[in-house]
Every structure is written in C-alpha cells, then in structure tokens.
C-alpha cells in the first residue's frame, strides 16, 4: 500500500478495504493476507475496546475448522472446552440432549473477545494493516471500478481507494447505509423482551449450558472457564439495570433454574459485568452492491438464543474471502456474483433456527397465558422425547450447512 500527499486528504490504495475489526472483518482479512492480497482493516473503536467486549463464546465445528485453516487456533486448542451436550430444563425437570450422539459433532466454548484478540495479535505480528480509532468513515463510488473509503486518522484526512470494500462494521456501521434504499430490502422482527446478561466470579453450576423455560421467563446458565459463569434472564424490553440489583438477579435465576437434579445448586458470586440487550432479528438483502460486500452483523442480526451470530459472521467471511481470492488471484468472478445468494440462504436458515429456539424457550405475549404455557410445555416435551425432533434441533444447534454452501 502506498500513500501520496495531495492538497487535502492523503490518498492511499489497497486491494481490499475492510471496514470493521470484529470477527467478520478479522477472519476475512486473515484469509486475504495469507493469499498475499493487500488489505487494510479500519475500526472506529480502540484496540482495547474490541478485545474486551463481552460477546458470545460458542463455536460451531465449522468455525473451529475455519480458525484452524487460518492458523489462528493455537490458544483456542489450549484453552477451549468441548461442548458435547445441552440441558433443557422445564416444569422442574432436566432433559439432556447429547449433541455428539445425535449429530456426530460437538460445539466448542471459547469467548469471542479471546478469538478477536488472537486474530489481532496474529495479524499485527505479521505486519497486517489494522487501524483503530478511525473516525468519520464514509464510503463512495461503490458502483464503479474505484470505490473509496474516506476516514479521519488523528488529524489526517485519508482517502483509501480499493478494488473492493467489505462492510464488516456491524448493525450501526456506515456500510449498509451506502447501499441505495431502492435496491435493498430489510426484514426485521423485534421481541418485547431482552436479555439481562451477567458475568460472575462464580464456578460454573453445570458442565454444560442449561436452557430453562419457566412461567417467569427464560434463563440460561453457562460457563466461562473454571471460575466464571455467564448467565442470562429474559426481562421486559423497558427494564433497566437499576431494577435488577444483585440479589434479585440471583433469586430469579434460582427460581427459573429450579431442578429435580439431586445436589444441583446455583453457584453465586460477585457480578463483575452486566448488561441488557434487546432481542431482534434482521436480514438485509442483497448482501452486495457493486464492489461493496456485507458480512456479519452489517447484513444480519440474530436472536442470541442459538449462539449463531459469530458463527454466521465467520461463514460469511469465509465465503467472501474465497470469492475475492478467486477473482484477485485467478480472474474468476463466479464467487462474487453468487456471494449474496449463498450467504443469504445460510443466513435465513440460521435466523429460522434462532427464532425456533427463542420461541421454544421464552415466555411470549398471549391473550391466554395459561393456554400458551401448556402448549409450550407440550412442544418442549415432544422435542425431548422424539429422537427425530431432538436431532433436528441438535443439527441446527451445531450448525446445519447446505451441501452446496461454501
């Protein structure tokens, strides 16, 4: 990449400009860099912020395979844990789904912020151009052969010309907004509740994740290493953290996670992080416009119940990465022309599964709450006793791939 001072902004050029240093952008940049393709990654937040932001930590087998292929799995192999089964808890009873038995595959627990840190450290150590705390990012010329990303870095105005732009900048980033509204359709669904999530200095209460359905609402108990736990509660969309002091959180988790298992107890500890996140789904299509391609949360948002957001971002970036390499190294544009169709087929499947998991385990609005409650218990019961139904759910959980998906 070269820089030339002109009157006004500094003009630079690269082959691919990646907007966003989350999992989608970093995985894409890593793949391109390994193929000798010049890439610049732009991130508006600080390096510390993106490396410490608490996010999901459940990886599909395909995502683990992607990281292994990219040579970014050293710490993952040393510190992750296999996630072989999940527990559904409802009506006071626990039901274990053996993922390995039902699908032949297992999930892997590894926090997203650790994965991000691994990719950043690896990229910077190898000379990758990753720039943090850039401001005023704007895209132009994406319909032509010379798209441009303009941004401010310190007191410098920079005009970055690229062959292609990858918008990996999340739901609120500028990339999606650069696609004309009359060529883009967005499909959005909002839930009337959110998730209150906590990270606690408390040993895990179980060796696997517990998805609990209760008349008071959904609860999830999960682990983040031997000494920390990550738990979630379904709360009203308008609730604030002030309404949920520590004792109320722990008491409600105790109520919703009540179990018939002998000796089971919820381990309490100091809550060191908490937040309330709204639940929604969004898919925008197409995921490409001219020489701009969207990946990850810039193109779609999923309810977190199925832990699909990070995994879908990794899949998008892998498909896009292969397509860009094929074009820039071999001249074939087939992958670029079909990228949106391939990625959207997969995205709709993941949204469908996440919606299924949400509606199976959460209290939903109803004119007759008791009828709804009884029907939900019946659906959960059937899913647990029918091997066909359990296999279908487990297959979606570990990550279903269409035979022709990249």
């Amino acid at each position: 990449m070269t820089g030339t001072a002109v009157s006004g902004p500094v003009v630079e050029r690269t082959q691919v400009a990646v907007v966003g240093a989350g999992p989608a952008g970093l995985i894409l940049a890593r793949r391109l860099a390994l193929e000798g393709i010049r890439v610049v990654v732009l991130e508006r937040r600080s390096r510390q912020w993106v490396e410490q932001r608490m996010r999901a930590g459940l990886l599909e087998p395909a995502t683990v395979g992607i990281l292994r292929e990219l040579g970014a799995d050293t710490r993952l192999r040393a510190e992750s844990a296999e996630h072989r089964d999940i527990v559904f808890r409802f009506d006071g009873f626990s039901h274990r789904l053996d993922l390995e038995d039902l699908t032949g595959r297992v999930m892997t627990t590894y926090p997203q912020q650790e994965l991000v840190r691994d990719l950043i450290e690896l990229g910077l150590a190898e000379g990758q151009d990753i720039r943090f705390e850039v401001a005023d990012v704007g895209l132009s010329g994406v319909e032509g052969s010379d798209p441009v990303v303009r941004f401010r870095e310190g007191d410098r105005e920079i005009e970055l010309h690229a062959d292609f732009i990858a918008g990996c900048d999340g739901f609120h980033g500028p990339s999606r907004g650069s696609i004309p509204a009359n060529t883009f359709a967005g499909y959005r669904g909002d839930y009337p509740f959110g998730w209150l999530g906590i990270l606690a200095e408390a040993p895990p209460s179980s060796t696997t994740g517990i998805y609990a359905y209760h008349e008071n609402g959904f609860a999830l108990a999960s682990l983040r290493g031997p000494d920390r736990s990550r738990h979630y509660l379904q709360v009203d969309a308008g609730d604030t953290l002030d309404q949920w002091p520590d004792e109320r959180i722990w008491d409600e988790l105790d109520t919703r996670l009540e179990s018939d298992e002998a000796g089971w107890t919820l381990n309490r500890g100091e809550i060191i992080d908490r937040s309330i996140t709204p639940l929604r789904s969004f898919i925008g299509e197409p995921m490409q416009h001219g020489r701009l391609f969207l990946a990850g949360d810039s193109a779609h948002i999923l309810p977190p119940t199925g832990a699909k957001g990070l995994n879908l971002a990794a899949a998008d970036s892998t498909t896009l990465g292969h397509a860009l390499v094929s074009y820039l190294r071999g001249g074939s544009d087939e992958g670029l022309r079909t990228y949106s169709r391939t990625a959207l087929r997969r995205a709709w499947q993941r949204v469908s599964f996440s919606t299924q998991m949400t509606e199976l385990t959460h209290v939903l609005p109803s004119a007759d709450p008791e009828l709804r409650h009884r029907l939900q218990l019946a659906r959960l019961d059937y899913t647990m006793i029918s091997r066909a139904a359990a296999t279908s759910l487990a297959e979606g959980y570990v990550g279903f791939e269409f035979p022709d998906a990249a």
Side-chain angles (χ1 to χ4, degrees), residues 129-379:
D129 193 344
I130 307 175
R131 307 187 192 184
F132 298 98
E133 298 182 85
V134 304
D136 302 330
V137 177
L139 285 60
S140 63
V142 299
E143 295 174 341
S145 60
D146 187 32
V148 176
V149 183
R150 292 179 174 83
F151 60 97
R152 183 166 50 81
E153 189 175 21
D155 58 359
R156 299 193 310 159
E157 300 291 334
I158 297 176
E159 190 176 276
L160 178 63
H161 294 249
D163 295 322
F164 296 96
I165 299 174
C168 307
D169 47 347
F171 188 74
H172 299 290
S175 294
R176 190 176 67 250
S178 300
I179 301 177
N182 63 351
T183 67
F184 186 82
Y187 303 91
R188 177 167 178 159
D190 292 287
Y191 291 94
F193 46 77
W195 272 15
L196 166 59
I198 65 166
L199 181 68
E201 295 280 12
S205 301
S206 174
T207 57
T208 189
I210 301 173
Y211 290 76
Y213 167 74
H214 188 274
E215 286 179 281
N216 290 6
F218 167 80
L220 170 60
S222 60
L223 51 158
R224 288 294 184 272
D227 302 312
R228 288 186 174 183
S229 300
R230 184 78 164 156
H231 302 320
Y232 299 91
L233 286 170
Q234 176 186 352
V235 299
D236 290 340
D239 280 8
T240 66
L241 291 175
D242 290 341
Q243 296 173 268
W244 288 91
D246 291 10
E247 186 174 1
R248 183 186 179 193
I249 291 172
W250 288 117
D251 287 348
E252 192 62 29
L253 283 167
D254 259 326
T255 297
R256 299 186 193 184
L257 291 165
E258 182 182 7
S259 173
D260 61 306
E261 292 184 15
W264 188 89
T265 184
L266 176 67
N267 294 325
R268 299 190 178 202
E270 179 187 357
I271 297 176
I272 58 175
D273 183 75
R274 72 191 73 206
S275 62
I276 293 179
T277 304
L279 261 67
R280 64 178 182 269
S281 61
F282 174 85
I283 289 188
E285 54 182 59
M287 288 173 59
Q288 61 190 97
H289 181 73
R291 294 203 169 202
L292 167 64
F293 295 82
L294 304 181
D297 287 357
S298 63
H300 36 64
I301 295 290
L302 288 73
T305 321
K308 293 298 158 198
L310 165 59
N311 296 287
L312 187 53
D316 287 348
S317 294
T318 300
T319 300
L320 180 56
H322 286 311
L324 287 168
V325 169
S326 293
Y327 180 80
L328 292 169
R329 294 290 300 272
S332 172
D333 68 350
E334 173 67 18
L336 293 177
R337 289 190 294 104
T338 60
Y339 167 69
S340 184
R341 183 179 67 205
T342 300
L344 281 169
R345 189 183 188 198
R346 182 172 50 223
W348 278 110
Q349 187 273 329
R350 296 298 198 275
V351 169
S352 175
F353 172 75
S354 297
T355 300
Q356 173 194 354
M357 282 284 286
T358 301
E359 295 181 353
L360 187 67
T361 56
H362 288 67
V363 172
L364 304 173
S366 174
D368 189 337
E370 183 58 28
L371 174 63
R372 176 207 51 74
H373 175 61
R374 298 279 182 165
L375 289 173
Q376 203 149 339
L377 289 176
R379 294 188 189 104

